[in-house]
């Protein structure tokens, strides 16, 4: 069964006053601990080898590890059994892994009554068993169940807990995920969200809005805490940090702890990530796939009150990535030597919009701070909001200080990997009011771009693999699919480098293909470019003459696969077409190869060129607010502003394609473009990063492959206000994930049969507030629609907002008669949703904040 996103309100809620110290230490005399901790933020995928291998290594190695799994947090034994299977998969001996009989409740998937196990926690046999272990793992669920199972009714430690402490002191590793992470610190957060923590724990009891507005109370959950097990003695820990946007609640809990805020950092661990604590070295290492948020509350203080509510100011936020280390006593950071500083060398220069909802590019905290602030020379500060449906909430302002810095490198191929240090965060009470905008002052310009007709080509025998960008070298499903479509390991593949300004991405892709079994001599970087490349002695701008080379055209005709790397999509089209827009001989050869069975693939810019109308610039807010532009300012315009369109290469014959869809929140620009330039009878496709849309031309079908999803936009039934731009009703949105398929002609969606329908079987039944920015859970569109709408019995519609200063848009997502959700666990116990035919209305609004 899926895990509850919000813990039940138990224990006690924090007092309004922020001066009340929290709980006393769970254990004293912890300086002599020789063991380590692996504290995972939840959602650890079976494929996350770094976390599993680190845990087994600290447990004594695969051959010697003796692991006890504590199932107490869960309501079933499923997660414990799955974790055992995963450890065996990574080389541990099955006979050396046991599920310990520690629980205070019955499990729903067994015939036994495990509630009797509570009586065994003082059993000497269980203690002896634990003392023979080299590792203990706590599965996820409800952290209070772990504490209740291992402590006596009077609060004292059971013999089993004493035994765990004994092996921990002597060198064993203690690990846990989700609830198994939350209980690691003395102060254990048991419930609440960021808005609830700020409203209820910083707010004044005399605040009529907080005390009387019962509607709002149901939209957020106040912070609650309890005494944890205290294996980690150096600060408060929170989990599911990025996915559930818990930075606000962590800040409130940390501020309320007098001991912790002066002496220690507070830590928020992302999903599929672990902080590994080495007690002997007094260091923490980040391991896994995302990051760890680190809060320094030592100089934080209350902000001025507004209508009885207080905020917090001068909080220092850092966000670390895998490979980074923290010295928790010195409160200092260490970064790998191959990471370069961004301060003074910022790559981006664009005006970043406030983070206000699911139309915000880089809508999760770490990505937003990285691109919109830290690595952006144009920005000294950036802000976000969080509020309830009545508009009562907070503005969150992030600011660069003298000690602010960023560190960057590529990871897993060519994915950006950022670390962030010492960003100032101020949280100020605000009231945000929205009204319909009846008379827009925005200068919306319709597109003058002439959409090319889809050419009438012969039947196409080849296929397409269109990747949304940030394709990881470890994404075996995408690489293997491309190689198989190209004819297997004997494939002959040409790489088109034209979109980039360097050969790094082309060389990396070639190395990846070789790693997956293609012979190096069968892979060639094709001399196709209209510009020079950095770091070479040759002037590659001379390659422009190659596009009519009979020799190169003949070589292309002998290939079984062609790949277009990422960068600037206009450089690809400019490198393959003549100045009058006609096709070069090489482009004609690519078409010949494609029609006769070759696979064409590309990522990022290499995906954008695939459709007839190519989206080359702009963001969602810019496209909806200002429409379209005829000018293009290179890479800067890719990050924002009105939409810019050009003629694509037209390999994909069935609609519009957009990329980086989840990370850059491009739904708005895809809708605006599809409405003006698309075929209303066709779908439009937004492809997430590290994900591919595989097009089978023969079967006229697409399939999702990789790690993210594809958003489908259907405008067949849309109603638009012709007198007012960007005022839409009844746009149909679907989000599909790996294993799902779509018929390109009928638009029928075939869901992975492993998934079960959520309709009339919704797991959640909760009142939810609007999605408002970086402190809103489930900031990625698909997750927002899944948890808050299709799998939530109470929700018939949900809202998000996109605004800048006093203008913006209200997005209302509604369950339609055709709406459905489909769910399964994938990659361990990660929730995987598909969403079918949710209705979307977009309404222009005026915005006032006070």
């Amino acid at each position: 069964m899926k895990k509850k996103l919000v813990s039940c309100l138990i224990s006690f809620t924090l007092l309004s006053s922020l001066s009340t110290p929290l709980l006393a230490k769970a254990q004293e005399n912890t300086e002599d601990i020789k063991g380590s901790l692996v504290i995972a933020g939840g959602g650890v995928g079976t494929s996350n080898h770094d976390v599993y291998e680190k845990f087994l290594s600290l447990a004594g190695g695969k051959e010697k590890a003796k692991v006890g799994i504590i199932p107490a947090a869960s309501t079933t034994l499923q997660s414990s059994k799955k974790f055992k299977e995963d450890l065996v998969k990574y080389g541990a001996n099955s006979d050396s892994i046991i599920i310990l009989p520690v629980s205070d409740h019955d499990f729903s998937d067994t015939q036994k009554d495990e509630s009797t196990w509570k009586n065994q926690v003082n059993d000497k046999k269980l203690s002896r068993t634990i003392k023979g272990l080299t590792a203990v793992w706590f599965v996820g669920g409800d952290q209070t169940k772990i504490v209740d199972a291992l402590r006596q009714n009077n609060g004292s430690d059971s013999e089993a807990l004493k035994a765990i402490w004994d092996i921990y002191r002597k060198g064993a590793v203690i690990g846990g995920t989700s609830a198994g992470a939350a209980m690691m610190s003395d102060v254990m957060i048991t419930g609440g969200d960021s808005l609830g923590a700020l409203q209820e724990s910083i707010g004044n009891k005399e605040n009529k809005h907080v005390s009387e507005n019962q509607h709002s109370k149901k939209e957020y959950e106040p912070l609650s805490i309890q005494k944890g097990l205290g294996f980690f003695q150096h600060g408060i820990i929170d989990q599911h940090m990025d996915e559930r946007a818990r930075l606000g609640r962590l800040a409130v809990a940390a501020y309320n702890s007098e001991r912790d805020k002066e002496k220690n950092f507070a830590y928020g661990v992302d999903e599929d990530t672990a902080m590994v604590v080495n007690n002997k070295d007094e260091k923490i290492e980040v391991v896994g796939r995302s990051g760890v948020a680190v809060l320094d509350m030592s100089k934080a203080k209350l902000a001025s009150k507004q209508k009885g509510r207080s905020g917090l100011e001068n909080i220092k936020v850092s966000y670390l990535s895998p490979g980074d280390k923290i010295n928790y006593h010195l409160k200092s950071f260490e970064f790998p030597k191959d990471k370069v500083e961004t301060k003074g060398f910022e790559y981006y220069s664009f005006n970043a919009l406030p983070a206000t909802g699911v139309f915000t590019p880089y809508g999760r905290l770490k990505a937003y701070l990285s691109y919109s602030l830290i690595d952006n020379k144009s920005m000294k500060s950036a802000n976000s909001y969080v509020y309830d449906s009545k508009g009562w909430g907070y503005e969150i302002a992030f600011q660069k200080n003298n000690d602010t810095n960023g560190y960057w490198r590529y990871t897993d191929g060519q994915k950006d990997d950022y670390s962030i240090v010492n960003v100032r965060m101020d949280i100020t009470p605000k009231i945000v009011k929205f009204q319909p905008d009846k008379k827009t002052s925005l200068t919306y310009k319709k597109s003058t771009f002439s959409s090319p007709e889809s050419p009438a080509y012969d039947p196409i025998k080849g296929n397409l693999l269109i990747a949304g960008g940030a394709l990881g070298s470890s994404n075996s499903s995408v690489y293997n699919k491309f190689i198989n479509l190209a004819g297997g390991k004997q494939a002959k593949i040409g790489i088109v480098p034209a979109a980039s300004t360097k050969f790094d991405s082309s060389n990396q892709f070639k190395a990846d293909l070789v790693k997956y079994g293609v012979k190096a001599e069968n892979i060639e970087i094709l001399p196709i470019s209209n510009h020079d490349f950095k770091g070479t002695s040759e002037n590659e701008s001379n390659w422009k003459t190659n596009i009519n080379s009979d020799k190169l055209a003949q070589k292309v005709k002998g290939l079984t696969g062609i790949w277009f790397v990422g960068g600037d999509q206009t450089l690809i089209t400019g490198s393959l077409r003549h100045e009058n827009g006609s096709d070069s001989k090489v482009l004609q050869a690519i078409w010949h190869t494609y029609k006769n069975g070759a696979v064409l693939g590309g990522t990022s810019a290499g995906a954008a060129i695939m459709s007839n109308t190519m989206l080359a610039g702009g963001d969602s807010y810019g496209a909806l607010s200002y429409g379209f532009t005829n000018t293009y300012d290179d890479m800067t315009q890719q990050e924002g502003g009105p939409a810019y369109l050009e003629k694509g290469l037209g390999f994909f014959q069935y609609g519009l394609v957009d990329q980086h869809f989840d990370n850059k929140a491009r739904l708005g620009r895809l809708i605006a473009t599809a409405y003006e330039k698309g075929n209303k009878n066709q779908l439009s496709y937004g492809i997430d990063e590290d994900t591919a849309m595989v097009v089978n031309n023969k079967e006229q079908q697409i399939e999702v492959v990789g790690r993210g999803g594809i958003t489908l936009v259907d405008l067949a039934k849309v109603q638009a206000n012709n007198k007012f731009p960007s005022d839409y009703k009844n746009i149909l949105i679907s989000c599909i994930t790996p294993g799902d398929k779509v018929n390109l002609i009928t638009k029928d969606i075939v869901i992975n049969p492993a998934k079960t329908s959520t309709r009339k079987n919704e797991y959640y039944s909760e009142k939810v507030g609007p999605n408002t920015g970086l402190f809103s859970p489930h900031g990625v569109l698909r997750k927002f629609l899944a948890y808050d709408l299709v799998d939530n019995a109470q929700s018939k519609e949900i809202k998000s907002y996109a605004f800048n200063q006093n203008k913006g848009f209200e997005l209302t997502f509604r369950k339609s008669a055709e709406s459905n959700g489909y769910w399964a666990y994938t990659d361990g116990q990660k929730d995987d949703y598909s969403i079918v035919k949710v209705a979307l209305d977009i309404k222009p609004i005026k915005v006032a904040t006070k």
Side-chain angles (χ1 to χ4, degrees):
M1 182 177 287
K2 289 174 285 184
K3 215 178 298 178
K4 274 284 184 186
L5 285 181
V6 182
S7 302
C8 296
L9 278 179
I10 53 174
S11 180
F12 57 88
T13 301
L14 287 175
L15 300 176
S16 303
S17 169
L18 288 178
S19 61
T20 306
L22 288 180
L23 305 162
K25 280 191 176 183
Q27 288 276 334
E28 298 290 346
N29 301 320
T30 59
E31 293 80 6
D32 59 343
I33 296 174
K34 297 178 182 178
S36 302
L37 300 171
V38 176
I39 305 173
V44 177
T46 300
S47 62
N48 193 332
H49 57 85
D50 288 346
V51 172
Y52 280 97
E53 290 181 354
K54 177 64 90 171
F55 180 71
L56 287 173
S57 174
L58 293 171
K62 299 172 184 178
E63 301 292 331
K64 298 180 179 179
K66 296 180 180 179
V67 183
I69 302 171
I70 293 184
S74 183
T75 57
T76 70
L77 284 179
Q78 179 185 5
S79 53
S80 299
K81 293 176 180 177
K82 186 67 174 68
F83 187 71
K84 179 175 179 176
E85 291 175 7
D86 290 343
L87 291 178
V88 172
K89 173 185 171 184
Y90 280 97
N93 187 336
S94 178
D95 294 337
S96 298
I97 307 168
I98 57 174
I99 298 174
L100 297 170
V102 177
S103 175
D104 68 345
H105 59 278
D106 190 25
F107 293 99
S108 62
D109 58 346
T110 68
Q111 294 181 348
K112 296 180 180 179
D113 181 4
E114 287 84 7
S115 63
T116 60
W117 285 358
K118 176 67 175 177
N119 301 324
Q120 298 184 44
V121 292
N122 290 312
D123 185 82
K124 292 182 179 180
K125 182 179 178 182
L126 176 60
S127 295
R128 285 196 298 271
T129 298
I130 292 172
K131 288 181 179 180
L133 300 174
T134 62
V136 175
W137 183 267
F138 293 84
V139 300
D142 182 345
Q143 48 266 47
T144 63
K145 287 185 168 71
I146 300 174
V147 176
D148 291 346
L150 283 169
R151 283 219 172 96
Q152 315 272 37
N153 292 334
N154 63 4
S156 62
D157 291 356
S158 66
E159 293 301 315
L161 182 53
K162 291 177 182 177
I164 294 171
W165 268 100
D166 182 63
I167 62 171
Y168 176 41
R169 290 181 188 280
K170 292 177 179 178
V173 59
I174 310 297
T177 184
S178 188
M183 62 85 202
M184 291 282 185
S185 51
D186 284 332
V187 177
M188 179 176 74
I189 300 175
T190 59
D193 53 37
S194 286
L195 180 57
L198 292 165
Q199 294 278 50
E200 296 281 342
S201 299
I202 294 180
N204 190 300
K205 287 292 183 180
E206 296 176 1
N207 177 5
K208 290 184 179 180
H209 174 77
V210 173
S211 60
E212 295 177 5
N213 191 339
Q214 295 301 315
H215 173 76
S216 292
K217 276 196 171 184
K218 295 179 181 179
E219 294 179 0
Y220 55 76
E221 184 186 8
L223 176 66
S224 59
I225 59 98
Q226 186 176 312
K227 185 178 180 181
L229 297 185
F231 297 120
F232 181 68
Q233 287 284 301
H234 310 289
I236 299 173
I237 290 171
D238 208 346
Q239 15 78 51
H240 297 282
M241 179 56 54
D242 56 345
E243 175 60 35
R244 301 184 193 177
R246 287 174 166 170
L247 192 72
R249 84 168 191 180
L250 179 60
V252 173
Y255 185 86
N256 226 29
S257 175
E258 295 295 329
R259 175 175 62 85
D260 280 331
K261 79 174 184 179
E262 297 297 332
K263 181 180 178 183
N264 299 312
F265 286 143
Y267 304 87
V269 190
D270 289 350
E271 294 187 353
D272 217 7
T273 307
M275 52 181 275
V276 178
V277 182
N278 186 317
N279 286 297
K280 289 186 288 185
D281 292 344
E282 298 182 343
K283 288 184 180 180
I284 297 168
E285 181 182 5
V286 182
V287 175
R289 289 185 173 144
S290 190
V292 173
V294 182
L295 292 184
D296 184 348
M297 306 295 296
S298 59
K299 296 181 180 179
K301 60 181 180 179
L302 285 176
S304 58
K305 287 189 176 182
Q306 182 221 57
K307 291 188 178 293
R309 296 181 303 150
S310 297
L312 287 172
E313 61 184 25
N314 204 23
I315 302 165
K316 281 190 176 181
V317 179
S318 299
Y319 225 120
L320 304 194
S321 298
D324 298 343
K325 294 183 179 180
I326 307 161
N327 186 310
Y328 52 74
H329 274 317
L330 297 178
K331 296 177 77 171
S332 62
F333 306 114
E334 298 176 15
F335 303 100
K337 292 181 180 179
D338 61 341
K339 278 193 173 177
V340 296
E341 293 187 32
T342 63
K343 192 172 185 177
F345 304 95
E346 291 85 356
Y347 180 76
Y348 296 97
S349 181
F350 66 95
N351 184 24
L353 293 172
T356 57
V358 294
F359 270 13
T360 302
Y362 316 113
R364 290 264 51 91
L365 179 67
K366 181 167 174 259
Y368 182 74
L369 292 181
S370 297
Y371 295 100
S372 297
L373 183 64
I374 293 298
D375 204 14
N376 190 341
K377 67 183 71 173
S378 297
M379 300 291 289
K380 294 183 179 179
S381 63
N383 67 318
S384 183
Y385 296 86
V386 62
Y387 44 82
D388 61 23
S389 60
K390 299 297 183 182
W392 285 67
Y394 297 83
E395 180 183 63
I396 303 100
F398 300 96
Q399 182 178 316
K400 290 177 181 175
N401 284 338
N402 290 334
D403 58 348
T404 303
N405 208 342
Y407 299 84
W408 170 90
R409 68 176 174 183
Y410 278 136
T411 184
D412 191 15
Q414 287 201 314
K415 291 183 178 180
D416 289 330
D417 178 30
Y418 282 98
S419 302
I420 299 162
V421 175
N422 295 330
V423 171
R424 174 173 171 149
M425 179 173 71
D426 299 324
I427 304 171
T428 307
K430 292 285 183 180
I431 300 174
V432 186
K433 294 296 183 183
F434 304 110
Q435 291 182 333
D437 190 355
K438 299 297 185 182
K439 188 177 180 181
T440 184
S441 61
L442 297 174
T443 307
Y444 185 94
K445 294 182 179 179
K446 285 186 167 292
S447 175
T448 59
F449 172 75
S450 179
S451 298
E453 292 292 327
S454 180
Y457 290 104
D458 297 332
I460 298 171
K461 298 177 183 178
N463 302 293
L464 298 172
L465 189 146
I466 309 174
L471 179 62
S473 296
S474 63
N475 195 331
S476 58
S477 58
V478 171
Y479 278 95
N480 286 330
K481 189 72 172 182
F482 180 73
I483 292 167
N484 289 337
L485 290 172
K489 295 180 180 180
Q490 302 302 316
K492 295 181 179 180
I493 296 171
I495 300 171
V496 177
S500 185
T501 58
K502 299 186 294 185
F503 280 111
D504 291 1
S505 52
S506 298
N507 291 329
Q508 179 67 58
F509 189 73
K510 179 176 181 178
D512 289 341
L513 291 176
V514 172
K515 183 180 77 172
Y516 283 101
V518 180
K519 293 180 180 179
E521 58 267 28
N522 288 353
I523 308 167
E524 183 174 351
I525 298 174
L526 301 174
I528 298 173
S529 175
N530 64 354
H531 58 278
D532 192 25
F533 285 80
K534 298 175 183 177
T536 68
S537 57
E538 185 176 357
N539 184 356
E540 288 80 10
S541 63
N542 295 326
W543 286 359
K544 179 66 176 178
T545 59
N546 291 340
I547 62 174
N548 288 311
S549 164
D550 290 328
K551 182 178 180 181
L552 181 57
Q554 197 62 36
K555 180 179 290 186
V556 167
K557 289 181 180 179
L559 299 173
T560 60
I562 298 172
W563 184 264
F564 297 86
V565 301
D568 183 342
Q569 47 265 49
T570 65
L571 295 178
I572 301 176
T573 55
S575 297
L576 285 169
R577 284 205 176 102
H578 301 122
E579 290 186 7
N580 64 3
S582 61
D583 292 357
S584 66
K585 287 185 178 180
V586 170
L587 181 53
Q588 292 172 10
I590 293 172
W591 267 105
H592 173 87
T593 306
Y594 176 40
K595 286 190 292 183
N596 284 280
V599 58
L600 306 185
T603 183
S604 186
I609 53 98
M610 292 290 181
S611 48
N612 286 308
T613 298
M614 180 175 76
L615 288 87
D619 67 352
S620 288
Y621 183 82
L624 292 171
S625 299
Y626 307 109
F628 297 82
T629 179
N630 294 325
T631 60
Y632 182 63
D633 185 20
D634 195 37
M635 293 292 287
T636 300
Q637 199 167 320
Q638 291 192 21
E639 302 301 322
Y644 174 72
L645 307 178
E646 277 197 10
K647 182 181 177 183
L649 297 183
F651 301 127
F652 180 63
Q653 299 279 297
Y654 302 97
L656 297 171
V657 170
D658 208 348
Q659 19 77 48
H660 294 284
F661 208 71
D662 53 351
N663 207 28
K664 298 192 178 183
R666 285 174 165 169
L667 178 63
R669 86 167 189 179
L670 183 58
I671 289 170
T673 305
Y675 182 76
E676 287 209 20
K677 300 299 176 183
N679 181 337
K680 303 294 191 300
N681 294 318
Q682 292 179 329
L683 297 173
S684 296
Y685 304 84
I687 309 171
D688 289 350
E689 294 186 350
D690 215 9
T691 308
M693 181 171 87
V694 179
V695 182
N696 186 315
N697 285 299
K698 183 179 180 181
E699 296 182 9
Q700 295 180 312
Q701 177 179 268
I702 68 160
E703 179 183 3
V704 188
V705 176
R707 291 177 175 150
I710 296 175
T711 300
L712 310 174
V713 176
D714 189 346
L715 298 183
K717 299 179 180 179
V718 70
Q719 301 169 31
N721 184 347
N722 292 327
K723 296 180 180 180
F724 205 95
S726 302
D727 188 348
Y728 300 108
K729 291 183 179 179
N730 212 35
I731 302 165
L732 291 182
I733 304 293
S734 302
C735 301
I736 56 176
T737 59
D740 298 339
K741 299 177 180 180
V742 180
N743 186 295
L744 292 162
I745 305 302
T746 66
K747 302 189 287 190
D748 291 336
I749 300 172
V750 180
I751 301 297
N752 185 336
K755 294 179 181 177
T756 58
S757 171
T758 63
R759 190 166 187 171
K760 296 183 179 180
N761 189 36
E762 292 87 355
Y763 183 73
Y764 303 103
S765 183
E766 300 165 355
K767 187 71 177 179
V768 295
N771 185 281
T772 59
L774 303 179
F775 277 16
S776 291
H778 320 303
V780 175
L781 177 68
R782 176 164 49 92
K783 300 290 185 70
F784 173 53
L785 296 181
Y787 291 108
D788 286 359
L789 185 63
V790 298
D791 204 15
N792 190 342
Q794 279 199 44
S795 289
K796 294 182 179 179
E797 66 176 37
I798 53 177
K799 294 183 184 294
S800 180
Y801 294 90
F803 60 89
N804 185 24
Q805 297 179 340
N806 62 345
K807 295 287 183 179
F809 301 92
E810 179 184 73
L811 317 178
T812 303
F813 298 91
R814 299 180 282 106
K815 288 178 179 173
S816 69
E818 302 172 286
S819 297
N820 205 343
Y822 299 87
W823 170 89
Y825 275 138
T826 59
D827 191 14
Q829 288 196 315
K830 291 184 177 181
D831 290 327
D832 180 20
Y833 283 97
S834 299
I835 296 129
V836 173
K837 295 184 178 179
V838 166
L840 167 62
D841 302 333
I842 301 176
K843 184 177 292 294
I845 54 172
K846 293 188 293 185
V847 184
T849 60
K850 61 179 181 180

